[in-house]
Amino acid sequence: MTKAAAKSRAQGKGRRVDPAARTRVRALLGDAPRRADLLIEFLHRIQDAEGHLGVALLAALAEELRLSQVEVFEVASFYHHFDVVREGETPPPGLTVRVCESVACEMAGSAQLLARLRATLGAGVRIQPVPCVGRCAQAPVAVVHQYPVAPATVDAVAAAVAAGARDCPTPHAPSAPEEFAVLRALLAASAPREQVFATLEESGLRGMGGAGFPAGRKWRIVAAQDAPRMLVVNADEGEPGTFKDRLLLETGAQRFLEGMLIAAWAIDAEACTIYLRDEYAGVRAHLAGAIAALQAEWRAGEAWRLPEIDLRRGAGAYICGEESAMIESIEGRRGLPRLRPPYVAERGLWNRPTLVHNVETLWWVPEILAQGAAAFAGHGRRGRQGLRSFSVSGRVADPGVKLAPAGITLRELVDEHCGGMLPGHELHAYLPGGASGGILPASLAGLPLDFGTLEEHGCFIGSAAIVVLSQHDRVREVAQGLMEFLRKESCGQCTPCRVGTARAAALMSEPEWDVPLLIDLAQVMRDASICGLGQAAPNPLLSALRHFPAEFSGAERAAFEESQ
């Protein structure tokens, strides 16, 4: 072995750690425990302080956490909200303005807003198109650092930049923990957990994050697993068109926390982890305050020991809405979905049985237990049970989060809760479940909006992200934009999704679609993708071909009909 090789081996592989970078990283981490699962949290600390992630600081962070440099670099480069600056590269400007380019914002003119901002704002500001930021009812939306400007105009954004606006306002002060009346009543009465499971089952409450699995049954399944058990809350609502969880957390964080703690008590969870999307900076501050107040004031003599509550910050990855990818992210890795089985109810966070719910599901729990199963179940229409929050955006007069009965139709939702269509707009189509939920025509606006009612038409309700289109919108172009979004958000782990979404997006950008090839790609993605992103990615393109033949040429229509 040469002297140079021996020296290199003694120093270890990778970049040598700069002493100044080591000192800076140690100062930023403070007395936080040096755990590998906190890698993403630490990357946020560095980026928040420095404005980007330089390779010298990444090397120092790897040393501090006793990770290889490649492990730290691959995580930092996986998430959209981290700016990794390599040697010789120019760091980004000190201020970033993000302009949403998702469906509702695109219809409201975000492309024109983006172009005008680039021509108006100075060189010291980075103007960046981004996917949905969770404020679709106020489209178009721009975010100055973390400060949302909604609806956004060039003047409003320029004013926010000039005023130095950077941080998202915190919605409300934390409520007093004494408000946890339902939880305290359960503890005081030593209520049997079986009774809670049965009440949830009778209510018909289902998972509101997209899958719609019966909540009571899920609790039973996890509770039957060997201890210790974990609870994880998926508050990473990245589905374009979805913003209900943000509103529920802004206006009812205490109620959500109570529902979470009731679930933790019911399954005897050792700890609770809330994974919150990074765009919700104001909600994060609000929740952190509410959790701190709860932990400080929960009396030592309570009948139940409060579990550890860990609030984690996402970093801009749509794939982390998939439960196993989210768990990978919580554990400090890239958000790559796991192969199943085993399911997370059997082996989830830290390889332990894990109950995963989204915000809205837990938000309903206290009310159901207080009012009874029948009171909740009785709200449904057309044989459906319960209420749910619909995120409605697009060409309606009054968009927003609408609390409505399960089983309501799109026409009823628009007429009864949204003030009808915008003047000059007629219902042409709608997305019932965000980017991957497919697209339905106005002729099917009488279908019940619920689980199991849309699948025969190639769609699903998912998280109830309703985007309403009018005669001024082309479904073909919307489908193309959705496929491009899914291409960018594919984690790249499996070939059918990674290559399939990229190839489909390219084919759909052509003036004439190669329909037979697109249908072959769709079948492969559905059959062979690891997770729901790839499996559902073909829904928009197939919906467009199936339900909107007038937007395609005769050859395209003939090719589709021949394939059926």
Side-chain angles (χ1 to χ4, degrees), residues 57-114:
L57 294 175
L58 291 178
L61 179 61
E63 178 188 73
E64 198 71 10
L65 298 181
R66 297 187 177 184
L67 295 171
S68 69
Q69 292 184 22
V70 69
E71 286 177 285
V72 172
F73 187 87
E74 71 177 7
V75 171
S77 59
F78 179 84
Y79 294 93
H80 299 319
H81 290 184
F82 293 139
D83 293 310
V84 177
V85 177
R86 298 165 177 81
E87 280 188 348
E89 293 182 341
T90 302
L95 182 64
T96 295
V97 174
R98 296 177 172 87
V99 180
C100 177
E101 61 176 355
S102 197
V103 185
C105 285
E106 193 280 330
M107 290 193 295
S110 64
Q112 294 83 355
L113 175 65
L114 182 71

Side-chain angles (χ1 to χ4, degrees), residues 119-479:
T120 303
L121 298 181
V125 180
R126 176 175 57 169
I127 313 298
Q128 190 176 57
V130 296
C132 185
V133 296
R135 298 179 182 272
C136 316
Q138 301 161 290
V141 182
V143 182
V144 179
H145 189 58
Q146 293 181 338
Y147 182 83
V149 182
T153 63
V154 172
D155 290 343
V157 173
V161 170
R166 294 182 67 85
D167 297 323
C168 185
T170 303
H172 301 285
S175 302
E178 284 73 21
E179 293 181 4
F180 287 72
V182 178
L183 174 60
R184 293 182 186 278
L186 289 171
L187 298 176
S190 298
R193 289 169 168 81
E194 169 59 34
Q195 178 182 319
V196 173
F197 299 154
T199 300
L200 290 183
E201 288 173 338
E202 291 168 14
S203 73
L205 179 67
R206 302 177 72 166
M208 302 295 191
F213 194 85
R217 193 192 313 170
K218 182 185 279 192
W219 291 23
R220 284 186 190 275
I221 291 171
V222 177
Q225 305 296 316
D226 292 337
R229 292 174 283 274
M230 312 298 289
L231 188 150
V232 171
V233 180
N234 187 345
D236 191 55
E237 59 171 358
E239 187 70 47
T242 308
F243 46 94
K244 62 185 177 67
D245 286 351
R246 174 183 59 80
L247 182 68
L248 294 178
L249 290 172
E250 287 177 346
T251 60
Q254 200 74 5
R255 175 169 162 176
F256 153 71
L257 288 173
E258 183 172 21
M260 180 188 75
L261 292 177
I262 290 171
W265 164 79
I267 68 163
D268 192 22
E270 181 179 272
C272 304
T273 302
I274 304 169
Y275 188 86
L276 180 69
R277 72 177 306 194
D278 193 30
E279 289 85 349
Y280 294 169
V283 171
R284 184 168 64 251
H286 177 38
L287 266 180
I291 292 168
L294 171 64
Q295 291 170 327
E297 298 183 33
W298 191 266
R299 294 184 297 275
E302 295 281 357
W304 176 61
R305 180 186 62 82
L306 195 70
E308 177 186 345
I309 303 174
D310 189 10
L311 178 60
R312 293 296 186 94
R313 180 178 172 184
Y318 171 72
I319 190 62
C320 289
E322 197 277 337
E323 60 182 8
S324 66
M326 174 183 61
I327 288 171
E328 287 288 306
S329 186
I330 292 170
E331 294 181 355
R333 295 185 288 272
R334 294 174 295 164
L336 302 181
R338 298 174 179 176
L339 291 170
R340 292 180 283 185
Y343 296 91
V344 299
E346 302 165 305
R347 280 189 278 171
L349 186 62
W350 312 123
N351 213 30
R352 297 173 179 175
T354 303
L355 175 65
V356 178
H357 270 312
N358 90 310
V359 170
E360 188 188 358
T361 309
L362 295 170
W363 189 82
W364 281 114
V365 168
E367 179 170 318
I368 291 171
L369 295 179
Q371 303 296 327
F376 179 79
H379 285 288
R381 295 183 184 179
R382 299 175 180 86
R384 303 285 159 170
Q385 291 181 295
L387 293 164
R388 69 177 304 167
S389 301
F390 294 86
S391 305
V392 187
S393 61
R395 309 296 193 182
V396 295
D398 183 24
V401 177
K402 309 299 178 179
L403 187 63
I408 195 172
T409 69
L410 187 280
R411 285 201 180 276
E412 291 169 341
L413 185 64
V414 170
D415 293 342
E416 297 175 20
H417 297 270
C418 302
M421 299 290 291
L422 281 169
H425 292 265
E426 298 176 1
L427 179 62
H428 173 56
Y430 64 102
L431 282 66
S436 56
I439 309 172
L440 290 171
S443 60
L444 294 178
L447 293 172
L449 292 173
D450 202 10
F451 302 108
T453 62
L454 309 178
E455 282 76 1
E456 65 177 292
H457 303 284
C459 298
F460 57 78
I461 186 68
S463 59
I466 312 292
V467 185
V468 179
L469 312 180
S470 77
Q471 77 276 20
H472 299 294
D473 304 304
R474 291 197 72 208
V475 172
R476 179 185 183 124
E477 293 175 356
V478 171

